Amino acid sequence: MTKVIFGLRPADAVTILFLLFLSVLTMIFYKNVPKAPTLMSIYLILIVSQIIIIRFKNRNNFLSLFYNVIFPTICVLVIFDSLGDLVHFVNPEDKDLALIRIDYLIFHGHPTVMLEKIMSPLLTDLLQLAYSTYYFIPLIFGVTLFLSNQRGEFDRTLFLILFCFYLSYLGYILIPAIGPRFTINHLQTTELQGLFIAEPIQRLLNQLEGIKRDAFPSGHTAIPLVVLYLANRFKRRLFWIFLPVVSALIFSTVYCRYHYVVDVIGGFGLAIITIFLGERYYEWWLKGQQRSKIIEKVSVYSLDKR
């Protein structure tokens, strides 16, 4: 899983391991998954591509950029899209009712309905725009580190972000839910209407994402929180720029009716788990690399002495 074992950095290892997991899951439920052959092919192509790219990553600057930025982005997007053809057939019972009940117990009402009291077209536009920044915040932060030649910080960041993405995908498989915009839309008394941009963004996201069981835990909460944690460590100025955007983004997940509040709570928990487990694993990996370098130096020295 690491250089100590397979010669892979943690970001590569976690991607390959998750693709293998999805491949095995697809094989187990092969008869239930209509597009199983297609999914198996996609996962195999990504695994093989990852291995090939690792081999040639240092040939030129473009391959380095492709290996570090472009290909991980492709993996996240392609794997997420594939879940639409997998999750419901692996775990067909949606858990929305349980999530709705938890929200109701906490608030004695439905938060998306309660937020109608503060709804306005301008606020809807702003929060729908904030919601969309989820797709750019991790990419902007990663590219900034990469172009700043902070490769150690970049590798750690890439691993933690990918780890968080894949844990959220695992959550979608274990606790599938489609979210309040579908399940309790009939309880809303007012439609979400913006001034200029809310509706076009909503239509675009609906076309790109479709209907997936991706409500719990809220990746729109967890991923930006992990980025905030990393920005606070490595790019403090970006942290202060991201902070108000991420705050609005997290609020928008409920206001724009994509998530239950319990999804957001789950997103906070996911971010904590990602940082707690991911950081410890990464430190273990770094120590393994250091031991490998020491052993290599000792071996070279012993050969020279002979």
Side-chain angles (χ1 to χ4, degrees):
M1 190 163 55
T2 64
K3 184 174 181 180
V4 178
I5 303 174
F6 295 121
L8 303 177
R9 63 178 179 173
D12 305 323
V14 74
T15 295
I16 292 175
L17 284 174
F18 193 70
L19 287 166
L20 289 172
F21 164 74
L22 291 178
S23 299
V24 171
L25 192 65
T26 305
M27 290 176 63
I28 293 173
F29 293 92
Y30 194 90
K31 293 182 179 180
N32 299 334
V33 181
K35 295 186 178 180
T38 302
L39 294 178
M40 292 291 294
S41 299
I42 290 171
Y43 300 146
L44 179 60
I45 289 171
L46 289 177
I47 291 172
V48 172
S49 298
Q50 176 81 78
I51 295 171
I52 293 173
I53 292 167
I54 289 171
R55 183 172 182 181
F56 296 101
K57 65 181 184 295
N58 294 323
R59 292 294 179 89
N60 55 56
N61 290 335
F62 174 75
L63 286 176
S64 178
L65 178 66
F66 189 83
Y67 166 64
N68 286 289
V69 178
I70 299 174
F71 187 73
T73 303
I74 291 172
C75 284
V76 166
L77 295 175
V78 171
I79 292 173
F80 174 74
D81 189 61
S82 77
L83 296 179
D85 297 315
L86 181 64
V87 173
H88 188 58
F89 303 101
V90 169
N91 191 358
E93 185 179 348
D94 292 339
K95 304 301 190 293
D96 287 87
L97 184 57
L99 300 176
I100 291 169
R101 285 174 175 170
I102 294 172
D103 264 13
Y104 199 88
L105 284 173
I106 296 173
F107 297 98
H108 303 289
H110 302 288
T112 57
V113 177
M114 296 166 70
L115 285 172
E116 290 181 357
K117 296 177 181 179
I118 65 168
M119 190 180 298
S120 73
L122 178 59
L123 183 59
T124 300
D125 266 4
L126 292 174
L127 289 178
Q128 187 65 61
L129 188 61
Y131 182 84
S132 304
T133 62
Y134 163 78
Y135 302 95
F136 305 103
I137 286 174
L139 190 60
I140 290 171
F141 182 66
V143 170
T144 301
L145 291 177
F146 185 78
L147 294 179
S148 300
N149 205 32
Q150 294 176 263
R151 295 305 169 88
E153 291 85 350
F154 174 84
D155 284 346
R156 184 187 294 264
T157 293
L158 181 61
F159 165 67
L160 286 174
I161 289 176
L162 289 177
F163 187 42
C164 191
F165 268 117
Y166 299 147
L167 285 179
S168 71
Y169 296 168
L170 181 61
Y172 304 158
I173 295 170
L174 295 175
I175 308 175
I178 58 177
R181 59 183 171 142
F182 298 111
T183 56
I184 58 174
N185 188 54
H186 61 286
L187 299 178
Q188 306 287 163
T189 61
T190 306
E191 291 295 324
L192 273 175
Q193 293 182 341
L195 290 174
F196 308 108
I197 60 176
E199 286 83 357
I201 293 176
Q202 288 168 5
R203 287 195 297 268
L204 178 61
L205 293 179
N206 288 339
Q207 290 175 357
L208 293 175
E209 295 184 357
I211 300 176
K212 291 185 174 66
R213 273 73 186 171
D214 60 348
F216 186 91
S218 169
H220 279 71
T221 298
I223 295 295
L225 286 175
V226 171
V227 173
L228 273 184
Y229 161 78
L230 292 163
N232 187 52
R233 289 188 61 183
F234 305 138
K235 287 285 184 183
R236 187 62 65 86
R237 288 184 181 179
L238 274 182
F239 169 82
W240 292 112
I241 294 172
F242 284 156
L243 182 59
V245 178
V246 170
S247 300
L249 192 168
I250 293 173
F251 181 67
S252 76
T253 61
V254 180
Y255 178 94
C256 294
R257 304 172 184 174
Y258 290 101
H259 288 283
Y260 309 104
V261 173
V262 68
D263 299 338
V264 175
I265 296 172
F268 272 88
L270 175 59
I272 293 170
I273 291 171
T274 297
I275 294 167
F276 181 81
L277 296 180
E279 286 284 29
R280 277 155 181 74
Y281 169 75
Y282 200 87
E283 290 299 324
W284 175 83
W285 177 79
L286 285 177
K287 290 178 182 178
Q289 275 205 321
Q290 292 170 358
R291 287 194 296 268
S292 296
K293 289 178 180 178
I294 293 172
I295 293 171
E296 185 178 344
K297 288 180 180 179
V298 170
S299 299
V300 171
Y301 177 78
S302 299
L303 289 173
D304 290 343
K305 291 291 288 183
R306 292 180 184 177

